[in-house]
Amino acid sequence: MRTKILIVDDQKGILLLLDEVFKREGYTTFLATRGIEAIEISQKEKLDIILLDVKIPNMSGIEILEMMKLTLPNVPVVMMSAYGEQGFIQEALELGASHFITKPFNIKEIRDVICMLVK
């Protein structure tokens, strides 16, 4: 059975890059550019990992994380942000995020984090 990853980012370029990388690695990917899309996918699919950007229009990544952790408390969430502000990082970790990756990121770093979480 293939690992299912939900990738949530409003930047199409990042979304498509991560989609391509993880599909090539053999993962099943689901993509969302908005919070409501991410929540709908998380309710329909049995996800193994969520990659979630902090800055999403209409609903912040922190709000999405809070909602997802209510229904998916054991699914690891890796937060991504161009804003490496300690406040965001601390809040995300307190709400249950597994990791926090700062953009621009090294694709190898994300792959290594996902590989570690899958094991």
Side-chain angles (χ1 to χ4, degrees):
M1 184 154 56
R2 295 168 63 155
T3 300
K4 294 181 179 182
I5 300 176
L6 171 60
I7 305 167
V8 186
D9 200 309
D10 64 320
Q11 294 180 4
K12 291 278 190 188
I14 291 174
L15 203 63
L16 295 174
L17 170 67
L18 292 172
D19 181 44
E20 181 181 325
V21 166
F22 288 113
K23 278 185 177 174
R24 199 175 328 129
E25 297 279 326
Y27 296 98
T28 299
T29 59
F30 300 90
L31 308 178
T33 57
R34 301 175 47 128
I36 194 70
E37 288 176 290
I39 291 165
E40 288 172 358
I41 291 168
S42 74
Q43 292 171 348
K44 293 178 187 172
E45 299 295 333
K46 185 178 179 337
L47 300 169
D48 298 297
I49 297 173
I50 300 166
L51 279 171
L52 176 59
D53 188 29
V54 170
K55 297 284 188 184
I56 301 287
N58 301 323
M59 183 184 293
S60 76
I62 296 293
E63 292 171 311
I64 298 166
L65 174 64
E66 283 182 294
M67 293 180 76
M68 287 186 171
K69 281 300 180 178
L70 292 174
T71 56
L72 304 168
N74 299 320
V75 175
V77 178
V78 177
M79 300 295 292
M80 304 178 292
S81 178
Y83 310 95
E85 295 175 12
Q86 194 58 39
F88 278 128
I89 296 170
Q90 190 61 38
E91 185 176 6
L93 294 174
E94 287 173 4
L95 291 170
S98 303
H99 289 80
F100 196 98
I101 295 174
T102 304
K103 294 178 182 176
F105 51 76
N106 177 326
I107 199 68
K108 183 181 178 335
E109 176 188 7
I110 291 183
R111 286 175 48 212
D112 289 349
V113 167
I114 297 303
C115 285
M116 180 188 67
L117 292 171
V118 169
K119 293 179 182 178

